[in-house]
Amino acid sequence: MTNSKSSSIGLKRLEGIHYYVHDLERSRRFYTEKLDFAETWRSSPELEAEGRQRSACFSAGTIQVVCSTPLDPPGRERSRAGRFLAKHPDGVGTLTWEVHDIERTFALLEERGGTTIDDIVTFTDDGGTLRQFSITTPFGDTTFRFRQRDGFRALYPGAVPFVGGGANRFGFEDMDHVTSNFQTMKPMLLWLEHVMGFEQMWKVAFHTSDVEPARKTGSGLKSIVMWDPGSNTKFANNEPARPFFKSSQINIFNEELRGDGVQHVAMTVADIVTAVRGLRSSGVNFMPTPGSYYDMLPERLELGGIDVIDEDISLLRDLQILVDGGEHHAYMLQIFLKEAAGLYADPSAGPFFYEIIQRKGDRGFGAGNFRALFESIEREQQKAPH
């Protein structure tokens, strides 16, 4: 085995997220009725008795979202979900990665100073084997789990097949990237580079205080995207920027989550116009985009080197879909759902949200849209009591 820090740890793909929630039935309704995900797995009674939490997996395309809720009463938490929710509102507690060779992944992570939570554990079923282990990360209560599958049929040990919910009529495909917020992101950047073996892919920095200087407030950020070229896994990292550090929406997110954590997950679709139209009809609420964004859009596209787009701007305005790009006339379309606390009108649902994205050749992350998103989040945060 090579000692090179640049050696890939052998990620195959980001398999899914493990989301800890106070109300599993509410999550079930959201994924199956609003997003039209299928419910594919549920925790067995034996697993629930052992782990003291109840789980369900919701799937669309290659996307897997496992939601777990504690079964112990508050103050007597023995489950992973219960311990997380004793400190935080609903949030992503684990990212699960599929790897090519788990022995190599484990050895490289340990060699580079990764803190493993357990040794490699092997599970078997009538289809094959599953081997897995977990590590801690620089954002405290979020862990990474690595799995190698060799014919193992269940999503995870103790998962029971279930057929229910939707049929993915909105066309969700893959997880494009994960974005996390930090009070200071440098430890995460160094950890992703020196432990996980990621490379820097993209960065942006800006502040909204120049929009209304008389207001003497605003929101700023520095954002750096790290990626693993072998698996095309992209991990975006944000931190607040001065001035008005405390009023930055990144800082407010951290205060609401009560720590660093996953802000959003971006999911790809093949046809965002059709998907968003259908999702709005299904009752899904999105972060609002001001009309001025679309007034300026033709000029922004021209300055970005995009001569023409396939979509009619009036339709994008009506659906409030954002456009960005400029990489060899390529572009991307994106939109952001309201954060969970806003979707459910419940602060305990937390500040996590989803992004929907359609890429038309552009590999970026919507630098020109960050400002519009930030202003939208600020408006929503100003409405909510703190």
Side-chain angles (χ1 to χ4, degrees), residues 10-15 95-98 144 175-178 192 196-199 201 225-236 365:
L11 298 178
K12 186 182 291 186
R13 69 187 184 100
L14 179 60
E15 181 181 276
L95 300 178
T96 302
W97 312 82
E98 190 174 356
F144 284 5
M175 285 181 285
D176 183 85
H177 62 273
V178 175
L192 285 171
M196 291 287 289
F198 280 37
E199 302 172 6
M201 177 186 187
V225 177
M226 305 291 288
W227 78 312
D228 172 62
S231 63
N232 196 33
T233 302
K234 299 177 285 291
F235 204 97
F365 290 83

Side-chain angles (χ1 to χ4, degrees), residues 128-376:
T129 61
L130 173 72
R131 306 179 73 203
Q132 69 177 30
F133 71 95
S134 299
I135 63 173
T136 62
T137 72
F139 53 132
D141 293 315
T142 300
T143 60
F144 284 5
R145 181 183 295 120
F146 301 92
R147 287 177 173 157
Q148 181 181 343
R149 296 179 175 278
D150 293 299
F152 193 82
R153 292 176 180 169
L155 179 65
Y156 54 87
V160 178
F162 186 85
V163 179
N168 193 22
R169 68 182 186 275
F170 305 125
F172 291 108
E173 299 173 325
D174 306 296
M175 285 181 285
D176 183 85
H177 62 273
V178 175
T179 297
S180 297
N181 288 351
F182 302 88
Q183 288 279 296
T184 174
M185 68 179 169
K186 191 65 172 180
M188 187 62 171
L189 299 177
L190 292 171
W191 186 84
L192 285 171
E193 178 185 358
H194 294 285
V195 178
M196 291 287 289
F198 280 37
E199 302 172 6
Q200 183 171 315
M201 177 186 187
W202 184 91
K203 66 179 179 178
V204 69
F206 76 91
H207 208 288
T208 64
S209 57
D210 62 339
V211 177
E212 295 181 65
R215 205 162 52 115
K216 296 188 188 226
T217 186
S219 193
L221 93 163
K222 297 176 183 175
S223 183
I224 294 180
V225 177
M226 305 291 288
W227 78 312
D228 172 62
S231 63
N232 196 33
T233 302
K234 299 177 285 291
F235 204 97
N237 309 272
N238 299 329
E239 70 177 14
R242 68 176 194 279
F244 318 122
F245 183 101
K246 292 295 184 183
S247 64
S248 165
Q249 65 96 346
I250 300 294
N251 183 64
I252 291 173
F253 171 95
N254 283 59
E255 290 179 347
E256 291 177 347
L257 187 66
R258 296 192 285 280
D260 297 339
V262 177
Q263 181 205 46
H264 74 267
V265 171
M267 304 185 292
T268 63
V269 292
D271 181 354
I272 195 170
V273 169
T274 300
V276 171
R277 184 185 287 119
L279 287 163
R280 287 192 181 278
S281 298
S282 182
V284 174
N285 293 317
F286 295 87
M287 292 185 189
T289 305
S292 57
Y293 172 89
Y294 299 95
D295 296 338
M296 299 295 295
L297 185 56
E299 181 181 346
R300 281 186 50 241
L301 293 175
E302 184 179 349
L303 290 172
I306 304 170
D307 299 324
V308 64
I309 62 175
D310 299 330
E311 298 75 18
D312 187 278
I313 290 179
S314 63
L315 179 59
L316 298 179
R317 181 194 293 264
D318 183 54
L319 295 172
Q320 298 196 343
I321 295 170
L322 307 171
V323 189
D324 212 304
E327 192 176 88
H328 306 297
H329 303 285
Y331 66 100
M332 55 174 284
L333 302 139
Q334 61 188 156
I335 193 169
F336 302 87
L337 274 66
K338 275 194 173 184
E339 61 177 24
L343 288 174
Y344 300 130
D346 177 6
S348 73
F352 174 83
F353 59 90
Y354 283 107
E355 172 186 350
I356 300 174
I357 186 170
Q358 179 185 356
R359 293 190 180 277
K360 294 199 166 186
D362 184 76
R363 296 169 63 243
F365 290 83
N369 289 337
F370 265 55
R371 182 184 295 272
L373 170 63
F374 262 51
E375 291 171 356
S376 179

Side-chain angles (χ1 to χ4, degrees), residues 31-150:
Y31 286 101
T32 61
E33 297 176 14
K34 302 286 190 182
L35 298 188
D36 202 41
F37 276 43
E39 186 172 358
T40 50
W41 301 91
R42 287 186 176 180
S43 50
S44 67
E46 296 78 14
L47 182 62
E48 291 174 5
E50 178 185 351
R52 305 302 305 160
Q53 62 188 33
R54 179 165 292 134
S55 305
C57 178
F58 307 101
S59 307
T62 66
I63 302 163
Q64 308 275 7
V65 180
V66 176
C67 295
S68 295
T69 194
L71 296 177
D72 289 323
R76 298 176 56 192
E77 296 87 359
R78 289 180 289 167
S79 66
R80 170 80 167 100
R83 292 193 301 272
F84 183 94
L85 294 171
K87 298 169 65 177
H88 309 281
D90 293 3
V92 176
T94 302
L95 300 178
T96 302
W97 312 82
E98 190 174 356
V99 300
H100 294 282
D101 181 347
I102 201 159
E103 295 278 1
R104 173 184 169 83
T105 302
F106 186 91
L108 278 172
L109 289 172
E110 278 221 312
E111 179 184 311
R112 296 171 183 173
T115 305
T116 52
I117 296 172
D118 47 16
D119 291 319
I120 298 172
V121 182
T122 301
F123 302 90
T124 61
D125 64 10
D126 57 1
T129 61
L130 173 72
R131 306 179 73 203
Q132 69 177 30
F133 71 95
S134 299
I135 63 173
T136 62
T137 72
F139 53 132
D141 293 315
T142 300
T143 60
F144 284 5
R145 181 183 295 120
F146 301 92
R147 287 177 173 157
Q148 181 181 343
R149 296 179 175 278
D150 293 299

Side-chain angles (χ1 to χ4, degrees), residues 3-9 112 193 197 199:
N3 290 326
S4 171
K5 74 169 189 176
S6 63
S7 297
S8 168
I9 64 170
R112 296 171 183 173
E193 178 185 358
E199 302 172 6

